[in-house]
Amino acid sequence: MTTTPTERDRTATRLLRSSAEHSYDPEVEIDWEAPFVDGKYFVPPHRSSLYGTALWERMTEQQRVELTKHEVASIAGLGVWFETILMQLLVREYFKQDPTAPHAQYALTEIADECRHSVMFGRMIARLDAPLYQPVGVNQWLGKWIAHTGVGPRMYAAILIAEEILDTLQREAMNHEDVQPLVRMVSRIHVVEEARHVRYAREELARQIRAAGRGRLAFDKLVIARAAYLTGRRLIDPRVYRAVGIDPEQGRRAARANPHHRETMRWAGERVVAFLSDLDLIGGPGTALWHASGLLPRTA
């Protein structure tokens, strides 16, 4: 299949129309003052990183709920971090484009969406009264580097990894009766609007793959693998375990060894891994990073 500029603009026009018809204001749509519901979790309990472990069995029900509260705060914190990077990338791309073109206008529309999403996630973290869990150290530096230098395939693929994993988790959470209404509503808004972003990024990535040279893709594959490693390893920040009296390193080791959590990560990454594999963006020197991320299927 070939993608011409005309097809690109037709896609952007459809996405602009969808944005006009299906966009939400979290300030209006969400009741931020509503109390939490006693006994409900903040992620589906079977998706908790420690579900099924000896540590989970020793926790009280209240501690289990508290752990999931910090886990959803960690997921939201990483989401805001990646969305901030994406907004910088899109602004740089827009600066080089014709502002009368639909695909340029859609880039601005997506930035507006991401601004609302970042505010929404920030408000949710504050409402949870949880710390801000975001990458630090080398990972933080890598994020700044991608934000300032990311172009082409590595730009769109790195963001897609985070977007599609978060989308998969939220699609389940928004319909799960054991999850707090606040989290379900935040998830629902993000899923509806993020579907447009995923389509735009997928089509842009496929188009740019065809235009990139072999040497360029070899480097991009390594950057993409590092983004996958960061997402897989830091979706649940080990610091969340302190909230329930567990040493972060002990919690991290238990989660990494937990077959339930390993399966959750593979399940969450299934769609994006299949898509990137079809584009031949997984392999080479970055393969070890992909395996370490926990996102690849068992047979990969």
Side-chain angles (χ1 to χ4, degrees):
M1 182 185 76
T2 59
T3 302
T4 66
T6 300
E7 291 171 351
R8 186 187 192 199
D9 281 344
R10 279 202 296 266
T11 295
T13 299
R14 287 194 296 270
L15 293 175
L16 284 166
R17 188 179 305 117
S18 175
S19 298
E21 296 173 352
H22 303 290
S23 291
Y24 301 91
D25 183 353
E27 186 67 31
V28 175
E29 301 289 341
I30 297 174
D31 183 356
W32 293 103
E33 304 303 321
F36 294 131
V37 179
D38 288 343
K40 286 192 179 291
Y41 288 78
F42 293 83
V43 302
H46 68 288
R47 298 300 180 194
S48 174
S49 60
L50 296 183
Y51 176 81
T53 66
L55 290 173
W56 179 267
E57 295 304 321
R58 290 202 294 267
M59 279 190 273
T60 65
E61 186 68 9
Q62 183 178 358
Q63 286 177 315
R64 293 173 180 175
V65 170
E66 183 71 9
L67 174 60
T68 64
K69 182 173 77 172
H70 286 263
E71 288 175 326
V72 81
S74 176
I75 294 168
L78 188 65
V80 170
W81 190 77
F82 268 110
E83 288 183 340
T84 303
I85 293 171
L86 173 60
M87 286 187 277
Q88 294 177 71
L89 296 172
L90 288 173
V91 166
R92 287 197 293 105
E93 286 288 299
Y94 173 79
F95 189 72
K96 298 178 288 185
Q97 296 178 9
D98 175 1
T100 68
H103 66 268
Q105 293 168 8
Y106 180 71
L108 284 183
T109 302
E110 181 166 334
I111 292 168
D113 288 346
E114 298 296 11
C115 284
R116 293 195 307 275
H117 295 169
S118 293
V119 171
M120 178 174 68
F121 285 159
R123 287 203 65 176
M124 183 176 74
I125 293 168
R127 180 67 182 84
L128 296 173
D129 194 24
L132 178 61
Y133 298 110
Q134 288 190 330
V136 296
V138 172
N139 287 329
Q140 184 184 49
W141 181 88
L142 285 170
K144 291 179 179 178
W145 177 75
I146 291 176
H148 286 89
T149 67
V151 292
R154 69 176 179 266
M155 163 183 162
Y156 285 101
I159 296 300
L160 262 178
I161 292 168
E163 283 186 336
E164 296 214 32
I165 288 172
L166 188 56
D167 181 73
T168 298
L169 292 169
Q170 289 184 322
R171 282 180 184 274
E172 180 181 59
M174 72 183 192
N175 294 315
H176 203 291
E177 294 184 356
D178 290 337
V179 172
Q180 292 284 348
L182 172 63
V183 177
R184 293 179 66 180
M185 192 61 190
V186 167
S187 299
R188 183 169 289 110
I189 290 173
H190 195 247
V191 163
V192 169
E193 297 188 339
E194 205 69 15
R196 298 191 292 265
H197 305 175
V198 168
R199 179 172 180 185
Y200 179 74
R202 280 186 170 225
E203 294 199 9
E204 281 294 301
L205 178 57
R207 183 183 63 80
Q208 292 185 14
I209 286 295
R210 289 187 287 272
R214 185 177 297 274
R216 163 74 173 280
L217 287 181
F219 178 68
D220 280 15
K221 281 184 181 182
L222 186 58
V223 175
I224 293 165
R226 187 60 178 80
Y229 175 83
L230 188 159
T231 305
R233 288 297 189 97
R234 282 296 177 266
L235 188 69
I236 304 300
D237 192 302
R239 291 172 291 180
V240 303
Y241 303 118
R242 287 199 186 105
V244 290
I246 296 173
D247 176 74
E249 181 57 26
Q250 181 187 15
R252 185 193 68 81
R253 289 196 305 267
R256 290 289 294 172
N258 182 7
H260 297 287
H261 183 56
R262 292 203 303 268
E263 183 55 37
T264 287
M265 295 306 298
R266 285 191 289 264
W267 163 76
E270 187 175 22
R271 285 186 305 162
V272 71
V273 165
F275 179 69
L276 296 179
S277 295
D278 286 345
L279 294 177
D280 193 29
L281 288 176
I282 297 178
T287 303
L289 288 169
W290 271 104
H291 282 290
S293 74
L295 299 174
L296 291 185
R298 289 189 182 92
T299 56

